Each structure stands twice: as C-alpha cells, then as structure tokens.
Amino acid sequence: MADRFLRRAGSIPGGAGGIVRRLSARAVLEKQLIKDGDRILIAVSGGKDSTVLAWALSSFRRSLKTGCDLEALHISSDFCACCKKTVLAARLESWGIPFTDLFVPVIGRLKPGRKMNCYWCSTQRRAELLKYAVQGGFNKIALGHHLDDIIETFFMNLCAQGKLLAMPVKLRYRKYPLTLIRPLAYLEERQIIACAEEQGILRGACTCPYGINSQRGDMRKKLADFTGNSGAVKRRILAALSSGKTDLLAE
Amino acid sequence: MADRFLRRAGSIPGGAGGIVRRLSARAVLEKQLIKDGDRILIAVSGGKDSTVLAWALSSFRRSLKTGCDLEALHISSDFCACCKKTVLAARLESWGIPFTDLFVPVIGRLKPGRKMNCYWCSTQRRAELLKYAVQGGFNKIALGHHLDDIIETFFMNLCAQGKLLAMPVKLRYRKYPLTLIRPLAYLEERQIIACAEEQGILRGACTCPYGINSQRGDMRKKLADFTGNSGAVKRRILAALSSGKTDLLAE
C-alpha cells in the first residue's frame, strides 16, 4: 500500500532514503495522518529529525491526488548561538517548502529567579507554533519525533510518573482547529540518521546547546540495553500502545 | 487504613511479616478484594508465595466483621517428584485453613507427540482449580502472584506479543460465579522471601522441577537491570497499569 502510494510521485529511492519514505508513508496511511487539501506546518529545528521529516513530506505531496500545502517554521531563541538557518532555509526551499523563522526569547521570558529547562523551552516554543499555525490557517502541524522518542516518553511516564501515557502519533486539539501529526513514528533514530547521512542533511544540522535532557538520556541508555536495540521489539512496543481498549497513540 | 484494619485481629507483627501483612491488607482494601462472608479457595503450590499468601489471609479473617471461609487446594501432578505435602498441610491446618490435595495427571493428559510446557501445565491446573471452586461453592480464588510477576507479565506482553496486557489483581470471570484475586500484588518477591524466612516457611517449600520458564527468566534479569531493582519504580509501574482509561489490573 505504501509503495503504490509512493510510486505516484515517481520511483522510490533505494537505500536509507527508501526506508524513510516507505515507513513514513506507512504511518501516514495507517494512521490517516495526511489527506488531500491539508495545510501542514512543519516544525523544523534544524536538527536531523525534522529536516528528514520535511524531505519525506515534500515527496508525499506528489503522491496525493490534489496535493497539500507545506510550509516550515523554525523558532530561533536567545540561547541558540550557532544556528545554520541559511543552510536549512536553502535546503527546504529546494524541496519546494517555504521557510519562516520566528524569534522567541525563551530565556528572556523566564520569570526572575527561574532557570532554563527543557520543559520551559518546549512549552514556549509549542505555544508560538500553535499561535502561528492558527493565524496562518493551517489545519495540521507535523513534528519530527520518531519511534525511539515515543518509546522513551512511554517508559518515562511509566517509571517516573506512574502513568500509562505515550506521545500520540495523531493528536486532535480541542482548543484549536489543529491536528498534530508525527509521520516519523515508525522510524528508529538510526534509520533517520542513515537517511540524513545519505542525503547530505547531517552537514548543517543544528543541535541544542543544552544537549539532550539527562532524564531522557538515562532512559535512552536503559532502553538500549532492555530492548537489545532490536527494531522488532520496539515496533511491537509501538503496536502495543494502540492495542488496548484505549489507543495511547491517538487522542 | 491498613493498620486499623489489621489491628482488629490483634497487634501487627514487626519485621518482614509486618510488611507482608500491611501491603497485602492495603491491596485487599484498595482493590476491594475480600469482603465479609466470602468463601475463598487459596491455590497453594507448596512454594513460598502461596504459602505466605495463606499465612497473610489467615489473619485477615479475624479483621473482618463476620469473617470469611478459607480453604486451600493443592494440585499434585505426575511430574512432581518431591512434594512436601504433609509439611504444607500441617502448616495450613495450624493456621486454621483446611487443606485438600487433588491429583491431576498433567503429563498423562498430553496428546501423543506433545511435550510438557509451562502453558499446558498451567492451563490444566487452572481448569481443575476452577472446577473444584465451582463445585465447592467458593466465590473467590486467591493466587500467590506478586508485584514482580505482574510487571514481568506486562513487559512480556508488551515486548513479545505487542499487547498492553497485565495480570489482573482482580478478575471477575464471565463464565463462572468466581472472582480471582491476587492479594500479594503490592509485594516484591524479596519481601515475600524475607517473610518466608522469618516465619520459617522456606523449609519445606516446593519448587517446580522444570524451573522458571526461560522467557520469564530472561525478562526477570532484564527488568532487574532496567528498574535497578527499585521498589519505588516497580510500584509506579503498577500504579500506571491502573492509571489509564482502561484499568489493566481489573477485568
């Protein structure tokens, strides 16, 4: 099904790029993430995940009957010292995806005495992203989270919060006319890295100067041991999250 | 709440026995596992878990207003070479729990060419247990599974079956007028072992000659690394299993 869908856009590439195209197409089709006429805002950080996401979505457009609109939003902030925005912008424009940069003073918005942390940064950026999407008449927001992110979040909620809660692949907001989608949900990080290397995307990729937060980093190491880094085990875990009476991958 | 409940039966012991009494009382009260007038059949294997279960339940009886009936059923089979039944029977009778032994030819019932395995053994024994309970007019069956068993089962279903499924602490059967309860659900195996040692129960405990099945054994080791054997982490995982829209600990 994914192959037939992709071939409408032309031949499917081999190698790492082909794997990304197929697995993201499968997620899009199985979870009904994208349909004709959607206006999709892709949140791009400059990192490998969201850049590969934009690359994959640019070809989907051609597989749809009437297509969909794609635009990319990058949020700059006051801690992002090295930001290869021009490289990112040029890349996206070459894929036919208009690029906008929005400056949000994440540190500047901290209340006096408060320290910078991942949660603050992500809530500020998420708020601006939603506002921009609503104002721009978008109905979908695409984020670059992948299978390892989803599983880590699930296990962090399980072990640290005592909650059965995953990162949804599809999330309809109640407050806004928006749906969040994560088309890379079936892809492991190593598959995305391989694609990024193959497509020359890693050069010019941005990484957060604060690094991955340590709780997530610890969980990542533990899960690597626990799953033996097996893609099959991870995909079974993902399947389990949709298998109960409540689908933890959809809201 | 658990302490007040337990004190109706007399003073609460300290040490490992006190921990088992408190945590099993908490499970019984929070999950409403036992009420006055229940007729409870305790499945005893001769192992430390079900023997400690019987010990804990024998004191609950005195905490209830009108009490409950307790009887123990042991299933002997054709592979159980060493079976310290007489020690077990004497122990249970000393706690005021009548003991019955039922012989079930688990190997003898195997179809030609089939090999003995844990699944076959447990389904045969479970069928006989249910039949005996229905015929004896019991409304509850108590099993000795503990917190580590429940978590292992959850993770085995997650990683090997791709299912979100735990071992219920309370399970109402549809086909029979019976409810399955697992009062040791809040207790880690090491807490049960400590109690068994303290109470002198380990001497005379039976262990299956086939040993723990290897899939469960592998999962046990992996989970020990993953949770760091932290009781707090395990209890949070257990809390998570009841936290979603569907309670995975009740059916």
Side-chain angles (χ1 to χ4, degrees):
Chain A
M1 180 165 80
D3 276 19
R4 203 168 0 125
F5 175 79
L6 290 171
R7 263 189 225 108
R8 291 187 210 157
S11 63
I12 310 166
I19 291 172
V20 165
R21 288 244 179 110
R22 280 188 169 89
L23 286 178
S24 44
R26 194 182 297 172
V28 164
L29 294 169
E30 284 180 7
K31 302 288 183 191
Q32 293 162 10
L33 301 183
I34 296 175
K35 57 185 202 301
D36 281 89
D38 276 342
R39 272 181 58 70
I40 305 173
L41 184 66
I42 310 171
V44 292
S45 62
K48 59 170 178 13
D49 299 336
S50 52
T51 312
V52 164
L53 170 68
W55 175 80
L57 292 183
S58 67
S59 70
F60 282 141
R61 202 169 19 185
R62 300 193 296 276
S63 291
L64 294 168
K65 286 185 191 132
T66 56
C68 62
D69 294 335
L70 293 177
E71 282 188 42
L73 180 72
H74 177 264
I75 294 176
S76 295
S77 53
D78 40 3
F79 63 81
C80 187
C82 145
C83 212
K84 301 186 176 105
K85 272 180 294 192
T86 41
V87 174
L88 178 61
R91 202 168 261 159
L92 291 164
E93 302 271 354
S94 76
W95 298 332
I97 302 176
F99 171 86
T100 301
D101 179 67
L102 193 67
F103 179 76
V104 175
V106 173
I107 296 183
R109 287 180 178 185
L110 279 167
K111 294 190 171 69
R114 293 287 175 99
K115 266 197 229 173
M116 178 61 182
N117 61 72
C118 289
Y119 182 73
W120 176 255
C121 177
S122 75
T123 44
Q124 291 308 299
R125 287 149 72 92
R126 181 65 58 90
E128 293 298 327
L129 176 65
L130 290 170
K131 197 163 98 183
Y132 186 92
V134 170
Q135 285 169 354
F138 294 93
N139 68 320
K140 299 252 166 94
I141 294 175
L143 300 182
H145 296 108
H146 49 64
L147 179 55
D148 291 293
D149 289 324
I150 291 172
I151 291 177
E152 279 154 27
T153 298
F154 174 69
F155 277 92
M156 283 164 72
N157 280 321
L158 190 68
C159 301
Q161 306 297 328
K163 289 190 176 149
L164 259 190
L165 200 59
M167 192 184 260
V169 179
K170 186 175 182 178
L171 170 67
R172 277 189 186 87
Y173 277 98
R174 285 175 203 170
K175 275 174 79 170
Y176 313 103
L178 283 170
T179 300
L180 207 82
I181 60 173
R182 292 180 164 105
L184 303 182
Y186 291 9
L187 284 147
E188 298 173 69
E189 186 180 33
R190 61 183 163 191
Q191 292 169 316
I192 291 168
I193 290 172
C195 174
E197 278 171 341
E198 186 186 80
Q199 300 296 320
I201 287 169
L202 276 185
R203 295 170 283 114
C206 229
T207 45
C208 172
Y210 285 83
I212 189 172
N213 87 37
S214 65
Q215 207 188 21
R216 189 171 279 276
D218 288 343
M219 181 54 75
R220 188 164 286 193
K221 284 190 207 103
K222 280 189 179 158
L223 279 171
D225 294 333
F226 183 73
T227 62
N229 253 332
S230 155
V233 171
K234 293 181 200 176
R235 281 186 292 276
R236 278 195 290 263
I237 294 172
L238 187 76
L241 303 185
S242 296
S243 75
K245 289 180 189 145
T246 308
D247 184 347
L248 299 181
L249 297 179
E251 281 274 325
Chain B
M1 178 164 82
D3 276 19
R4 205 169 358 126
F5 175 79
L6 288 172
R7 264 190 224 107
R8 292 187 212 159
S11 63
I12 310 167
I19 291 172
V20 164
R21 288 245 179 107
R22 281 189 169 89
L23 287 178
S24 45
R26 194 185 295 174
V28 165
L29 294 168
E30 285 181 6
K31 302 288 184 190
Q32 295 162 9
L33 301 183
I34 296 175
K35 56 183 203 301
D36 281 89
D38 275 343
R39 273 181 58 71
I40 305 172
L41 184 66
I42 310 170
V44 293
S45 61
K48 59 170 178 16
D49 300 336
S50 51
T51 312
V52 164
L53 171 67
W55 175 80
L57 291 183
S58 67
S59 68
F60 283 141
R61 203 168 18 185
R62 301 192 296 275
S63 292
L64 294 168
K65 287 187 192 130
T66 55
C68 62
D69 294 333
L70 293 177
E71 282 187 41
L73 180 73
H74 177 265
I75 295 176
S76 296
S77 53
D78 40 4
F79 62 81
C80 187
C82 146
C83 211
K84 302 184 175 105
K85 273 180 293 192
T86 41
V87 175
L88 178 62
R91 203 168 261 158
L92 291 164
E93 303 272 351
S94 76
W95 298 332
I97 302 175
F99 171 86
T100 301
D101 179 66
L102 193 67
F103 179 76
V104 175
V106 173
I107 297 183
R109 287 180 179 183
L110 280 167
K111 293 191 173 68
R114 293 288 174 98
K115 266 198 226 172
M116 179 59 181
N117 61 73
C118 288
Y119 182 73
W120 175 254
C121 176
S122 75
T123 44
Q124 291 307 299
R125 290 149 70 93
R126 182 65 58 90
E128 292 299 326
L129 177 65
L130 290 170
K131 197 163 98 183
Y132 186 91
V134 169
Q135 286 168 353
F138 294 93
N139 68 321
K140 300 252 167 93
I141 295 175
L143 300 181
H145 296 107
H146 49 63
L147 179 54
D148 291 293
D149 289 323
I150 292 172
I151 292 177
E152 279 154 25
T153 300
F154 173 69
F155 278 94
M156 283 164 73
N157 281 320
L158 190 68
C159 301
Q161 307 296 328
K163 288 189 178 151
L164 259 189
L165 199 60
M167 192 185 260
V169 178
K170 186 175 181 178
L171 170 67
R172 276 188 187 88
Y173 277 98
R174 286 176 205 171
K175 274 173 80 171
Y176 313 102
L178 283 170
T179 300
L180 207 81
I181 61 173
R182 291 179 165 106
L184 302 183
Y186 291 9
L187 283 149
E188 297 174 70
E189 186 179 34
R190 60 184 164 192
Q191 293 170 315
I192 291 169
I193 290 172
C195 174
E197 279 171 341
E198 185 186 81
Q199 300 296 321
I201 287 168
L202 276 186
R203 295 171 282 114
C206 228
T207 46
C208 171
Y210 285 83
I212 189 173
N213 86 38
S214 65
Q215 205 187 24
R216 188 171 280 276
D218 288 344
M219 181 53 76
R220 188 163 286 192
K221 284 192 208 100
K222 281 189 179 160
L223 279 170
D225 294 334
F226 182 73
T227 61
N229 253 332
S230 154
V233 171
K234 293 181 200 176
R235 281 186 291 277
R236 278 194 290 263
I237 294 173
L238 187 76
L241 303 185
S242 297
S243 76
K245 288 179 190 146
T246 308
D247 185 347
L248 298 182
L249 298 178
E251 283 273 325

